[in-house]
Amino acid sequence: MSIFKMSASTLAITALTATVAAARDNVQVAGSSTVLPYASIVAEAFGENFDYPTPVVESGGSSAGLKRFCEGVGENTIDIANASRAIREKELAACAENGVTDIIEVRIGYDGIVFASQLDGPDYSTFEPADIFNALAPQVLVDGALVDNPHTMWSDFNADLPAEEILAFIPGTKHGTREVFEEKVLAAGCEATGAHDAMIAAGMSEDDAEDACLAVRGDGVAVDIDGDYTETLARIDANANGIGVFGLAFYENNTDALKVATMSGVEPTTESISTGEYPVSRPLYFYIKAAHIGVIPGLKEFAEFFVADEIAGPDGPLAEYGLVSDPALGDVQATVMDEVTMGN
Protein backbone atom coordinates (compact mmCIF):
# COMPACT_ATOMS: atom_id res chain seq x y z
CA MET A 1 0.00 0.00 0.00
CA SER A 2 1.54 3.34 -0.98
CA ILE A 3 1.54 6.50 1.08
CA PHE A 4 -1.08 7.87 -1.30
CA LYS A 5 -3.43 4.97 -0.47
CA MET A 6 -3.27 4.94 3.30
CA SER A 7 -5.70 2.88 5.32
CA ALA A 8 -8.48 4.81 6.99
CA SER A 9 -6.94 4.28 10.44
CA THR A 10 -3.51 5.54 9.34
CA LEU A 11 -5.06 8.51 7.57
CA ALA A 12 -7.02 9.42 10.67
CA ILE A 13 -3.99 9.13 12.94
CA THR A 14 -1.89 11.14 10.52
CA ALA A 15 -4.50 13.86 10.30
CA LEU A 16 -4.72 14.07 14.08
CA THR A 17 -0.97 14.17 14.61
CA ALA A 18 0.27 16.15 11.63
CA THR A 19 -0.10 19.54 13.24
CA VAL A 20 1.47 18.38 16.49
CA ALA A 21 4.19 16.42 14.72
CA ALA A 22 5.28 19.58 13.00
CA ALA A 23 6.42 20.75 16.45
CA ARG A 24 9.18 18.11 16.26
CA ASP A 25 11.70 19.30 13.70
CA ASN A 26 14.30 16.54 13.95
CA VAL A 27 14.28 13.01 12.55
CA GLN A 28 14.37 10.32 15.24
CA VAL A 29 16.02 6.95 14.64
CA ALA A 30 16.53 3.90 16.87
CA GLY A 31 17.49 0.25 16.55
CA SER A 32 20.41 -1.96 15.62
CA SER A 33 23.75 -1.40 17.30
CA THR A 34 25.37 -2.68 14.10
CA VAL A 35 23.72 0.00 11.97
CA LEU A 36 24.26 2.67 14.66
CA PRO A 37 27.78 3.74 13.58
CA TYR A 38 26.70 4.03 9.93
CA ALA A 39 23.54 5.96 10.81
CA SER A 40 25.52 8.25 13.11
CA ILE A 41 28.03 9.05 10.36
CA VAL A 42 25.18 9.90 7.98
CA ALA A 43 23.27 11.91 10.59
CA GLU A 44 26.30 14.06 11.37
CA ALA A 45 27.01 14.69 7.69
CA PHE A 46 23.33 15.44 7.05
CA GLY A 47 23.27 18.02 9.85
CA GLU A 48 26.37 19.68 8.41
CA ASN A 49 25.15 19.79 4.82
CA PHE A 50 21.41 20.43 5.03
CA ASP A 51 19.21 23.07 6.62
CA TYR A 52 17.69 20.55 8.99
CA PRO A 53 18.65 19.64 12.56
CA THR A 54 20.96 16.67 12.95
CA PRO A 55 18.83 13.51 13.28
CA VAL A 56 18.80 11.87 16.70
CA VAL A 57 20.14 8.30 16.41
CA GLU A 58 19.78 5.86 19.29
CA SER A 59 20.74 2.22 19.69
CA GLY A 60 19.05 -0.51 21.71
CA GLY A 61 19.06 -3.37 19.19
CA SER A 62 17.02 -4.33 16.14
CA SER A 63 14.10 -5.84 18.06
CA ALA A 64 13.83 -2.93 20.46
CA GLY A 65 14.01 -0.40 17.63
CA LEU A 66 11.33 -2.16 15.60
CA LYS A 67 9.13 -2.41 18.69
CA ARG A 68 9.33 1.35 19.16
CA PHE A 69 8.77 1.87 15.45
CA CYS A 70 5.56 -0.18 15.60
CA GLU A 71 4.09 1.70 18.57
CA GLY A 72 2.09 3.97 16.30
CA VAL A 73 2.13 7.10 14.16
CA GLY A 74 2.80 10.57 15.50
CA GLU A 75 5.47 12.84 16.93
CA ASN A 76 5.86 10.69 20.05
CA THR A 77 7.02 7.74 17.92
CA ILE A 78 10.26 7.27 16.01
CA ASP A 79 10.49 7.81 12.25
CA ILE A 80 13.09 5.18 11.33
CA ALA A 81 14.08 1.80 12.77
CA ASN A 82 17.55 0.44 12.02
CA ALA A 83 17.84 -3.34 11.79
CA SER A 84 20.55 -5.92 11.20
CA ARG A 85 17.87 -8.30 9.90
CA ALA A 86 14.64 -8.08 7.94
CA ILE A 87 11.49 -7.13 9.82
CA ARG A 88 9.53 -10.20 10.94
CA GLU A 89 5.90 -11.04 10.16
CA LYS A 90 4.90 -10.73 13.82
CA GLU A 91 6.47 -7.26 13.90
CA LEU A 92 4.57 -6.26 10.77
CA ALA A 93 1.40 -7.49 12.47
CA ALA A 94 2.17 -5.44 15.59
CA CYS A 95 2.79 -2.39 13.40
CA ALA A 96 -0.52 -2.88 11.61
CA GLU A 97 -2.42 -3.20 14.89
CA ASN A 98 -1.10 0.23 15.87
CA GLY A 99 -1.82 1.90 12.54
CA VAL A 100 1.67 1.65 11.08
CA THR A 101 0.60 0.14 7.78
CA ASP A 102 2.83 1.92 5.26
CA ILE A 103 6.49 0.98 5.71
CA ILE A 104 9.40 1.57 3.35
CA GLU A 105 12.11 -1.09 3.62
CA VAL A 106 15.58 0.21 2.75
CA ARG A 107 18.56 -2.12 2.40
CA ILE A 108 21.58 0.08 3.05
CA GLY A 109 24.22 -2.50 2.12
CA TYR A 110 25.87 -5.53 3.66
CA ASP A 111 27.75 -6.19 6.85
CA GLY A 112 30.74 -8.23 5.71
CA ILE A 113 34.18 -8.61 7.25
CA VAL A 114 37.36 -10.18 5.94
CA PHE A 115 40.43 -11.64 7.62
CA ALA A 116 43.65 -10.26 6.21
CA SER A 117 47.35 -10.27 7.06
CA GLN A 118 50.64 -8.77 5.92
CA LEU A 119 51.21 -9.27 2.20
CA ASP A 120 54.58 -10.91 2.86
CA GLY A 121 53.56 -12.52 6.15
CA PRO A 122 52.57 -16.10 7.06
CA ASP A 123 50.18 -18.01 4.82
CA TYR A 124 46.77 -17.77 6.46
CA SER A 125 45.08 -18.76 3.22
CA THR A 126 41.83 -20.13 4.59
CA PHE A 127 39.91 -20.21 7.84
CA GLU A 128 36.82 -21.86 9.23
CA PRO A 129 34.81 -20.23 12.03
CA ALA A 130 36.05 -23.10 14.23
CA ASP A 131 39.66 -21.91 13.71
CA ILE A 132 38.90 -18.40 14.93
CA PHE A 133 36.96 -19.76 17.92
CA ASN A 134 39.75 -22.19 18.83
CA ALA A 135 42.26 -19.36 18.62
CA LEU A 136 40.37 -16.67 20.54
CA ALA A 137 37.84 -18.26 22.91
CA PRO A 138 38.63 -18.27 26.65
CA GLN A 139 37.63 -21.94 26.85
CA VAL A 140 37.80 -24.60 24.14
CA LEU A 141 37.35 -28.34 23.79
CA VAL A 142 40.54 -30.39 24.08
CA ASP A 143 40.20 -34.20 24.00
CA GLY A 144 36.48 -33.83 24.69
CA ALA A 145 36.93 -31.64 27.77
CA LEU A 146 36.15 -27.93 28.08
CA VAL A 147 39.38 -26.28 29.32
CA ASP A 148 41.00 -22.88 29.52
CA ASN A 149 42.39 -22.16 26.07
CA PRO A 150 45.93 -23.62 25.91
CA HIS A 151 46.60 -22.67 22.28
CA THR A 152 49.48 -20.31 21.57
CA MET A 153 49.97 -21.08 17.87
CA TRP A 154 47.49 -21.55 15.03
CA SER A 155 49.00 -24.95 14.28
CA ASP A 156 48.19 -26.15 17.80
CA PHE A 157 44.64 -27.00 16.71
CA ASN A 158 44.89 -27.05 12.91
CA ALA A 159 48.01 -28.48 11.29
CA ASP A 160 47.11 -26.74 8.01
CA LEU A 161 47.61 -23.33 9.63
CA PRO A 162 51.06 -21.80 10.20
CA ALA A 163 53.12 -22.44 13.30
CA GLU A 164 52.81 -18.77 14.19
CA GLU A 165 51.82 -17.16 17.47
CA ILE A 166 48.13 -16.27 17.58
CA LEU A 167 47.49 -12.55 17.42
CA ALA A 168 44.22 -11.13 16.12
CA PHE A 169 43.01 -7.54 15.85
CA ILE A 170 39.23 -7.75 15.97
CA PRO A 171 36.31 -5.26 15.91
CA GLY A 172 35.91 -3.71 19.35
CA THR A 173 32.64 -3.82 21.24
CA LYS A 174 31.79 -0.30 20.01
CA HIS A 175 32.48 -1.11 16.37
CA GLY A 176 29.69 -1.63 13.85
CA THR A 177 30.99 -5.00 12.70
CA ARG A 178 31.46 -6.57 16.15
CA GLU A 179 28.00 -8.14 15.98
CA VAL A 180 28.60 -9.95 12.67
CA PHE A 181 31.99 -11.11 13.98
CA GLU A 182 30.31 -12.57 17.05
CA GLU A 183 27.30 -14.05 15.28
CA LYS A 184 28.87 -15.43 12.12
CA VAL A 185 32.33 -16.37 13.41
CA LEU A 186 32.51 -16.91 17.18
CA ALA A 187 29.02 -18.36 17.65
CA ALA A 188 29.34 -20.48 14.51
CA GLY A 189 32.75 -21.74 15.61
CA CYS A 190 31.47 -22.51 19.10
CA GLU A 191 28.73 -24.68 17.60
CA ALA A 192 31.04 -26.34 15.09
CA THR A 193 33.64 -27.37 17.66
CA GLY A 194 31.06 -28.80 20.05
CA ALA A 195 31.96 -26.26 22.75
CA HIS A 196 28.39 -24.97 22.92
CA ASP A 197 26.99 -28.44 23.63
CA ALA A 198 29.73 -29.06 26.18
CA MET A 199 28.78 -25.86 28.00
CA ILE A 200 25.15 -26.99 28.17
CA ALA A 201 26.21 -30.44 29.35
CA ALA A 202 28.29 -28.78 32.08
CA GLY A 203 25.14 -27.15 33.45
CA MET A 204 25.07 -23.78 31.73
CA SER A 205 21.74 -22.34 30.69
CA GLU A 206 21.18 -21.78 26.97
CA ASP A 207 21.51 -18.01 27.43
CA ASP A 208 24.71 -18.32 29.45
CA ALA A 209 26.19 -20.70 26.88
CA GLU A 210 25.37 -18.30 24.05
CA ASP A 211 27.07 -15.47 25.94
CA ALA A 212 30.09 -17.63 26.70
CA CYS A 213 30.43 -18.52 23.01
CA LEU A 214 30.87 -14.82 22.19
CA ALA A 215 33.62 -14.16 24.74
CA VAL A 216 37.25 -13.66 23.73
CA ARG A 217 40.49 -14.26 25.57
CA GLY A 218 41.78 -11.52 27.83
CA ASP A 219 45.46 -12.43 27.66
CA GLY A 220 46.43 -10.09 24.80
CA VAL A 221 45.92 -12.61 22.00
CA ALA A 222 42.67 -10.94 20.89
CA VAL A 223 42.96 -7.17 20.63
CA ASP A 224 39.83 -5.04 20.36
CA ILE A 225 40.04 -2.18 17.85
CA ASP A 226 37.28 0.39 18.34
CA GLY A 227 38.72 2.87 15.87
CA ASP A 228 38.66 2.73 12.10
CA TYR A 229 40.50 0.20 9.94
CA THR A 230 43.57 2.39 9.60
CA GLU A 231 44.35 1.51 13.22
CA THR A 232 43.99 -2.20 12.45
CA LEU A 233 46.27 -1.80 9.43
CA ALA A 234 48.89 -0.07 11.57
CA ARG A 235 48.80 -3.00 14.02
CA ILE A 236 49.25 -5.47 11.14
CA ASP A 237 52.15 -3.41 9.79
CA ALA A 238 53.82 -3.69 13.20
CA ASN A 239 53.09 -7.39 13.73
CA ALA A 240 54.12 -9.72 10.91
CA ASN A 241 52.16 -12.67 12.35
CA GLY A 242 49.00 -10.66 13.04
CA ILE A 243 45.56 -11.26 11.55
CA GLY A 244 43.27 -8.27 11.19
CA VAL A 245 39.53 -7.98 10.64
CA PHE A 246 38.65 -5.41 7.98
CA GLY A 247 35.72 -4.25 5.92
CA LEU A 248 35.89 -5.50 2.34
CA ALA A 249 36.25 -2.04 0.80
CA PHE A 250 39.17 -1.15 3.07
CA TYR A 251 40.95 -4.38 2.19
CA GLU A 252 40.37 -3.82 -1.53
CA ASN A 253 41.92 -0.36 -1.20
CA ASN A 254 44.98 -1.81 0.52
CA THR A 255 45.87 -4.91 -1.50
CA ASP A 256 49.39 -3.54 -1.81
CA ALA A 257 49.82 -4.21 1.91
CA LEU A 258 47.36 -6.98 2.72
CA LYS A 259 46.36 -10.45 1.57
CA VAL A 260 42.98 -11.93 2.40
CA ALA A 261 42.00 -15.40 3.62
CA THR A 262 38.95 -17.28 2.44
CA MET A 263 36.29 -18.29 4.97
CA SER A 264 34.94 -21.82 4.58
CA GLY A 265 36.57 -21.85 1.15
CA VAL A 266 34.75 -18.75 -0.11
CA GLU A 267 36.68 -15.69 -1.23
CA PRO A 268 35.18 -12.43 0.04
CA THR A 269 33.99 -10.24 -2.84
CA THR A 270 31.13 -7.80 -3.25
CA GLU A 271 29.25 -10.50 -5.14
CA SER A 272 29.86 -13.33 -2.66
CA ILE A 273 28.89 -11.05 0.23
CA SER A 274 25.76 -9.63 -1.40
CA THR A 275 24.51 -13.11 -2.37
CA GLY A 276 25.22 -14.51 1.10
CA GLU A 277 27.67 -17.10 -0.25
CA TYR A 278 30.46 -15.65 1.86
CA PRO A 279 29.46 -16.76 5.37
CA VAL A 280 30.59 -13.74 7.36
CA SER A 281 28.01 -11.34 5.96
CA ARG A 282 24.36 -10.26 6.12
CA PRO A 283 22.17 -7.45 4.75
CA LEU A 284 21.47 -4.36 6.85
CA TYR A 285 18.26 -2.32 6.75
CA PHE A 286 16.36 0.66 7.95
CA TYR A 287 12.59 1.05 7.92
CA ILE A 288 10.81 4.35 7.30
CA LYS A 289 7.37 5.24 8.59
CA ALA A 290 5.83 6.54 5.35
CA ALA A 291 3.09 8.44 7.20
CA HIS A 292 5.79 10.69 8.69
CA ILE A 293 7.15 11.78 5.28
CA GLY A 294 6.04 15.34 4.66
CA VAL A 295 5.23 15.74 8.36
CA ILE A 296 8.63 15.37 10.04
CA PRO A 297 10.95 17.89 8.35
CA GLY A 298 13.90 16.34 6.53
CA LEU A 299 12.82 12.70 6.89
CA LYS A 300 12.80 11.83 3.20
CA GLU A 301 15.83 13.99 2.53
CA PHE A 302 17.76 12.13 5.25
CA ALA A 303 16.76 8.74 3.83
CA GLU A 304 17.77 9.76 0.29
CA PHE A 305 21.06 11.14 1.58
CA PHE A 306 21.75 7.90 3.46
CA VAL A 307 21.60 5.77 0.28
CA ALA A 308 23.19 8.32 -2.09
CA ASP A 309 26.18 7.12 -4.11
CA GLU A 310 28.55 9.49 -2.32
CA ILE A 311 27.50 8.09 1.07
CA ALA A 312 26.55 4.40 0.64
CA GLY A 313 28.45 3.75 -2.60
CA PRO A 314 31.71 1.78 -2.78
CA ASP A 315 33.81 4.94 -2.45
CA GLY A 316 31.74 6.55 0.30
CA PRO A 317 32.45 6.98 4.02
CA LEU A 318 30.26 4.01 4.99
CA ALA A 319 32.39 1.67 2.88
CA GLU A 320 35.48 3.06 4.58
CA TYR A 321 33.94 2.07 7.90
CA GLY A 322 33.11 -1.46 6.77
CA LEU A 323 29.78 -1.41 4.93
CA VAL A 324 29.75 -3.46 1.73
CA SER A 325 27.98 -1.35 -0.86
CA ASP A 326 24.81 -2.85 -2.34
CA PRO A 327 25.31 -3.78 -6.02
CA ALA A 328 21.64 -2.83 -6.49
CA LEU A 329 22.02 0.56 -4.81
CA GLY A 330 20.23 2.28 -7.71
CA ASP A 331 17.12 0.21 -7.04
CA VAL A 332 17.30 1.06 -3.35
CA GLN A 333 17.55 4.76 -4.20
CA ALA A 334 14.47 4.46 -6.43
CA THR A 335 12.54 2.77 -3.61
CA VAL A 336 13.22 5.73 -1.32
CA MET A 337 12.63 8.39 -3.95
CA ASP A 338 9.33 6.87 -5.09
CA GLU A 339 8.28 6.02 -1.50
CA VAL A 340 7.60 2.40 -2.41
CA THR A 341 6.09 0.66 0.60
CA MET A 342 6.38 -3.01 1.45
CA GLY A 343 4.06 -5.22 -0.55
CA ASN A 344 4.09 -2.88 -3.56
Short mmCIF file of all heavy atoms in Angstrom, two decimals, residues 1-18 69-70 72-74 77 92 94-103 288-293 295 341:
data_model
loop_
_atom_site.label_atom_id
_atom_site.label_comp_id
_atom_site.label_asym_id
_atom_site.label_seq_id
_atom_site.Cartn_x
_atom_site.Cartn_y
_atom_site.Cartn_z
N MET A 1 0.85 -1.18 0.00
CA MET A 1 0.00 0.00 0.00
C MET A 1 0.88 1.23 0.00
O MET A 1 1.79 1.35 0.80
CB MET A 1 -0.89 0.00 1.25
CG MET A 1 -1.87 1.14 1.32
SD MET A 1 -2.89 1.02 2.81
CE MET A 1 -3.84 -0.43 2.46
N SER A 2 0.68 2.17 -0.89
CA SER A 2 1.54 3.34 -0.98
C SER A 2 1.06 4.41 -0.02
O SER A 2 -0.03 4.34 0.53
CB SER A 2 1.53 3.90 -2.41
OG SER A 2 0.33 4.61 -2.62
N ILE A 3 1.91 5.42 0.18
CA ILE A 3 1.54 6.50 1.08
C ILE A 3 0.30 7.24 0.58
O ILE A 3 -0.43 7.86 1.33
CB ILE A 3 2.73 7.48 1.25
CG1 ILE A 3 2.41 8.50 2.35
CG2 ILE A 3 3.04 8.18 -0.04
CD1 ILE A 3 3.59 9.36 2.70
N PHE A 4 0.06 7.17 -0.74
CA PHE A 4 -1.08 7.87 -1.30
C PHE A 4 -2.38 7.06 -1.18
O PHE A 4 -3.45 7.52 -1.53
CB PHE A 4 -0.82 8.19 -2.77
CG PHE A 4 0.41 9.04 -2.95
CD1 PHE A 4 1.57 8.48 -3.49
CD2 PHE A 4 0.44 10.36 -2.54
CE1 PHE A 4 2.70 9.25 -3.64
CE2 PHE A 4 1.58 11.12 -2.69
CZ PHE A 4 2.72 10.56 -3.25
N LYS A 5 -2.27 5.83 -0.65
CA LYS A 5 -3.43 4.97 -0.47
C LYS A 5 -3.42 4.44 0.96
O LYS A 5 -3.46 3.25 1.21
CB LYS A 5 -3.40 3.81 -1.47
CG LYS A 5 -3.49 4.25 -2.92
CD LYS A 5 -3.43 3.04 -3.85
CE LYS A 5 -3.50 3.46 -5.31
NZ LYS A 5 -3.41 2.30 -6.22
N MET A 6 -3.33 5.34 1.91
CA MET A 6 -3.27 4.94 3.30
C MET A 6 -4.59 4.31 3.74
O MET A 6 -5.65 4.65 3.24
CB MET A 6 -3.00 6.16 4.20
CG MET A 6 -1.63 6.76 4.05
SD MET A 6 -1.46 8.14 5.19
CE MET A 6 0.11 8.78 4.66
N SER A 7 -4.49 3.43 4.74
CA SER A 7 -5.70 2.88 5.32
C SER A 7 -6.43 3.99 6.06
O SER A 7 -5.84 5.02 6.42
CB SER A 7 -5.35 1.76 6.29
OG SER A 7 -4.66 2.30 7.40
N ALA A 8 -7.70 3.78 6.31
CA ALA A 8 -8.48 4.81 6.99
C ALA A 8 -7.91 5.11 8.37
O ALA A 8 -7.85 6.28 8.79
CB ALA A 8 -9.93 4.33 7.12
N SER A 9 -7.47 4.06 9.09
CA SER A 9 -6.94 4.28 10.44
C SER A 9 -5.67 5.10 10.40
O SER A 9 -5.47 6.03 11.19
CB SER A 9 -6.68 2.94 11.13
OG SER A 9 -5.75 2.19 10.40
N THR A 10 -4.76 4.78 9.44
CA THR A 10 -3.51 5.54 9.34
C THR A 10 -3.78 6.98 8.95
O THR A 10 -3.18 7.92 9.47
CB THR A 10 -2.58 4.88 8.31
OG1 THR A 10 -2.34 3.54 8.69
CG2 THR A 10 -1.27 5.62 8.21
N LEU A 11 -4.72 7.17 8.01
CA LEU A 11 -5.06 8.51 7.57
C LEU A 11 -5.60 9.34 8.72
O LEU A 11 -5.24 10.51 8.90
CB LEU A 11 -6.10 8.42 6.44
CG LEU A 11 -6.31 9.67 5.60
CD1 LEU A 11 -5.00 10.11 4.97
CD2 LEU A 11 -7.34 9.40 4.52
N ALA A 12 -6.43 8.70 9.54
CA ALA A 12 -7.02 9.42 10.67
C ALA A 12 -5.95 9.80 11.68
O ALA A 12 -5.91 10.94 12.17
CB ALA A 12 -8.07 8.54 11.34
N ILE A 13 -5.06 8.85 11.98
CA ILE A 13 -3.99 9.13 12.94
C ILE A 13 -3.07 10.22 12.42
O ILE A 13 -2.69 11.14 13.13
CB ILE A 13 -3.19 7.85 13.24
CG1 ILE A 13 -4.08 6.84 13.96
CG2 ILE A 13 -1.98 8.16 14.09
CD1 ILE A 13 -3.47 5.47 14.10
N THR A 14 -2.76 10.14 11.11
CA THR A 14 -1.89 11.14 10.52
C THR A 14 -2.53 12.52 10.58
O THR A 14 -1.87 13.53 10.90
CB THR A 14 -1.59 10.77 9.05
OG1 THR A 14 -1.03 9.47 9.03
CG2 THR A 14 -0.59 11.74 8.45
N ALA A 15 -3.80 12.57 10.28
CA ALA A 15 -4.50 13.86 10.30
C ALA A 15 -4.49 14.45 11.71
O ALA A 15 -4.30 15.66 11.89
CB ALA A 15 -5.94 13.68 9.83
N LEU A 16 -4.67 13.60 12.70
CA LEU A 16 -4.72 14.07 14.08
C LEU A 16 -3.35 14.54 14.57
O LEU A 16 -3.26 15.44 15.38
CB LEU A 16 -5.21 12.94 15.00
CG LEU A 16 -6.71 12.63 14.93
CD1 LEU A 16 -7.01 11.36 15.72
CD2 LEU A 16 -7.54 13.79 15.47
N THR A 17 -2.30 13.88 14.07
CA THR A 17 -0.97 14.17 14.61
C THR A 17 -0.15 15.11 13.75
O THR A 17 0.87 15.62 14.21
CB THR A 17 -0.16 12.86 14.75
OG1 THR A 17 -0.06 12.25 13.47
CG2 THR A 17 -0.81 11.91 15.72
N ALA A 18 -0.56 15.36 12.54
CA ALA A 18 0.27 16.15 11.63
C ALA A 18 0.61 17.52 12.19
O ALA A 18 1.76 17.96 12.15
CB ALA A 18 -0.43 16.30 10.28
N PHE A 69 9.26 1.44 16.76
CA PHE A 69 8.77 1.87 15.45
C PHE A 69 7.29 1.50 15.28
O PHE A 69 6.51 2.26 14.69
CB PHE A 69 9.61 1.18 14.37
CG PHE A 69 9.27 1.54 12.95
CD1 PHE A 69 9.74 2.70 12.36
CD2 PHE A 69 8.50 0.68 12.18
CE1 PHE A 69 9.46 3.01 11.05
CE2 PHE A 69 8.21 0.97 10.86
CZ PHE A 69 8.69 2.15 10.29
N CYS A 70 6.92 0.34 15.79
CA CYS A 70 5.56 -0.18 15.60
C CYS A 70 4.56 0.32 16.65
O CYS A 70 3.41 -0.12 16.66
CB CYS A 70 5.58 -1.71 15.60
SG CYS A 70 6.40 -2.43 14.15
N GLY A 72 3.14 3.13 16.86
CA GLY A 72 2.09 3.97 16.30
C GLY A 72 2.65 5.05 15.41
O GLY A 72 3.83 5.05 15.06
N VAL A 73 1.77 5.98 15.03
CA VAL A 73 2.13 7.10 14.16
C VAL A 73 1.95 8.39 14.94
O VAL A 73 0.96 8.57 15.64
CB VAL A 73 1.24 7.11 12.90
CG1 VAL A 73 1.54 8.31 12.02
CG2 VAL A 73 1.41 5.82 12.12
N GLY A 74 2.90 9.29 14.81
CA GLY A 74 2.80 10.57 15.50
C GLY A 74 4.13 11.02 16.04
O GLY A 74 5.10 10.25 16.07
N THR A 77 6.45 9.01 18.39
CA THR A 77 7.02 7.74 17.92
C THR A 77 8.18 8.03 16.97
O THR A 77 8.24 9.10 16.35
CB THR A 77 5.96 6.89 17.19
OG1 THR A 77 5.55 7.56 15.98
CG2 THR A 77 4.74 6.66 18.07
N LEU A 92 5.47 -6.92 11.72
CA LEU A 92 4.57 -6.26 10.77
C LEU A 92 3.13 -6.27 11.30
O LEU A 92 2.40 -5.29 11.16
CB LEU A 92 4.64 -6.92 9.41
CG LEU A 92 5.92 -6.68 8.60
CD1 LEU A 92 5.95 -7.58 7.37
CD2 LEU A 92 6.02 -5.21 8.19
N ALA A 94 2.24 -6.39 14.47
CA ALA A 94 2.17 -5.44 15.59
C ALA A 94 2.09 -4.01 15.07
O ALA A 94 1.35 -3.18 15.61
CB ALA A 94 3.39 -5.62 16.49
N CYS A 95 2.86 -3.71 14.03
CA CYS A 95 2.79 -2.39 13.40
C CYS A 95 1.37 -2.11 12.92
O CYS A 95 0.79 -1.05 13.18
CB CYS A 95 3.76 -2.31 12.23
SG CYS A 95 5.44 -1.76 12.63
N ALA A 96 0.81 -3.06 12.19
CA ALA A 96 -0.52 -2.88 11.61
C ALA A 96 -1.57 -2.65 12.68
O ALA A 96 -2.48 -1.81 12.52
CB ALA A 96 -0.88 -4.09 10.75
N GLU A 97 -1.47 -3.37 13.79
CA GLU A 97 -2.42 -3.20 14.89
C GLU A 97 -2.40 -1.78 15.44
O GLU A 97 -3.42 -1.28 15.95
CB GLU A 97 -2.10 -4.19 16.01
CG GLU A 97 -2.49 -5.62 15.70
CD GLU A 97 -2.09 -6.57 16.83
OE1 GLU A 97 -1.64 -6.07 17.89
OE2 GLU A 97 -2.22 -7.79 16.64
N ASN A 98 -1.25 -1.13 15.34
CA ASN A 98 -1.10 0.23 15.87
C ASN A 98 -1.16 1.30 14.79
O ASN A 98 -0.77 2.45 15.03
CB ASN A 98 0.21 0.34 16.65
CG ASN A 98 0.21 -0.50 17.92
OD1 ASN A 98 -0.80 -0.60 18.60
ND2 ASN A 98 1.34 -1.13 18.22
N GLY A 99 -1.63 0.92 13.60
CA GLY A 99 -1.82 1.90 12.54
C GLY A 99 -0.61 2.20 11.68
O GLY A 99 -0.66 3.07 10.82
N VAL A 100 0.48 1.46 11.90
CA VAL A 100 1.67 1.65 11.08
C VAL A 100 1.58 0.66 9.92
O VAL A 100 2.09 -0.46 9.99
CB VAL A 100 2.97 1.43 11.89
CG1 VAL A 100 4.19 1.75 11.03
CG2 VAL A 100 2.97 2.29 13.14
N THR A 101 0.90 1.06 8.88
CA THR A 101 0.60 0.14 7.78
C THR A 101 1.42 0.41 6.53
O THR A 101 1.46 -0.42 5.63
CB THR A 101 -0.89 0.20 7.42
OG1 THR A 101 -1.24 1.57 7.14
CG2 THR A 101 -1.75 -0.30 8.57
N ASP A 102 2.05 1.56 6.45
CA ASP A 102 2.83 1.92 5.26
C ASP A 102 4.29 2.06 5.65
O ASP A 102 4.69 3.05 6.27
CB ASP A 102 2.31 3.21 4.64
CG ASP A 102 0.88 3.04 4.13
OD1 ASP A 102 0.65 2.11 3.35
OD2 ASP A 102 0.00 3.82 4.54
N ILE A 103 5.10 1.06 5.28
CA ILE A 103 6.49 0.98 5.71
C ILE A 103 7.38 0.85 4.48
O ILE A 103 7.11 0.03 3.59
CB ILE A 103 6.70 -0.24 6.63
CG1 ILE A 103 5.82 -0.13 7.89
CG2 ILE A 103 8.17 -0.37 7.03
CD1 ILE A 103 5.78 -1.40 8.72
N ILE A 288 11.35 2.99 7.19
CA ILE A 288 10.81 4.35 7.30
C ILE A 288 9.31 4.29 7.48
O ILE A 288 8.61 3.53 6.80
CB ILE A 288 11.10 5.17 6.01
CG1 ILE A 288 12.58 5.11 5.64
CG2 ILE A 288 10.65 6.61 6.18
CD1 ILE A 288 12.87 5.64 4.25
N LYS A 289 8.81 5.11 8.39
CA LYS A 289 7.37 5.24 8.59
C LYS A 289 6.86 6.23 7.54
O LYS A 289 7.04 7.44 7.65
CB LYS A 289 7.09 5.74 10.00
CG LYS A 289 5.70 5.51 10.52
CD LYS A 289 5.65 5.82 12.01
CE LYS A 289 6.44 4.82 12.84
NZ LYS A 289 6.42 5.15 14.28
N ALA A 290 6.22 5.70 6.49
CA ALA A 290 5.83 6.54 5.35
C ALA A 290 4.88 7.66 5.76
O ALA A 290 4.90 8.74 5.17
CB ALA A 290 5.18 5.68 4.27
N ALA A 291 4.04 7.41 6.77
CA ALA A 291 3.09 8.44 7.20
C ALA A 291 3.78 9.67 7.77
O ALA A 291 3.16 10.74 7.88
CB ALA A 291 2.13 7.85 8.23
N HIS A 292 5.06 9.55 8.14
CA HIS A 292 5.79 10.69 8.69
C HIS A 292 6.46 11.54 7.61
O HIS A 292 6.95 12.64 7.89
CB HIS A 292 6.84 10.21 9.70
CG HIS A 292 6.26 9.81 11.02
ND1 HIS A 292 7.02 9.70 12.16
CD2 HIS A 292 4.99 9.51 11.39
CE1 HIS A 292 6.25 9.32 13.17
NE2 HIS A 292 5.01 9.20 12.72
N ILE A 293 6.55 11.01 6.38
CA ILE A 293 7.15 11.78 5.28
C ILE A 293 6.24 12.96 4.97
O ILE A 293 5.03 12.80 4.81
CB ILE A 293 7.35 10.90 4.04
CG1 ILE A 293 8.42 9.83 4.30
CG2 ILE A 293 7.75 11.75 2.83
CD1 ILE A 293 8.65 8.87 3.16
N VAL A 295 5.68 15.24 7.05
CA VAL A 295 5.23 15.74 8.36
C VAL A 295 6.44 16.07 9.23
O VAL A 295 6.52 17.14 9.82
CB VAL A 295 4.33 14.70 9.06
CG1 VAL A 295 3.93 15.18 10.45
CG2 VAL A 295 3.09 14.40 8.22
N THR A 341 6.28 1.35 -0.66
CA THR A 341 6.09 0.66 0.60
C THR A 341 6.11 -0.85 0.42
O THR A 341 5.95 -1.36 -0.69
CB THR A 341 4.77 1.10 1.25
OG1 THR A 341 3.70 0.89 0.33
CG2 THR A 341 4.82 2.56 1.67
#
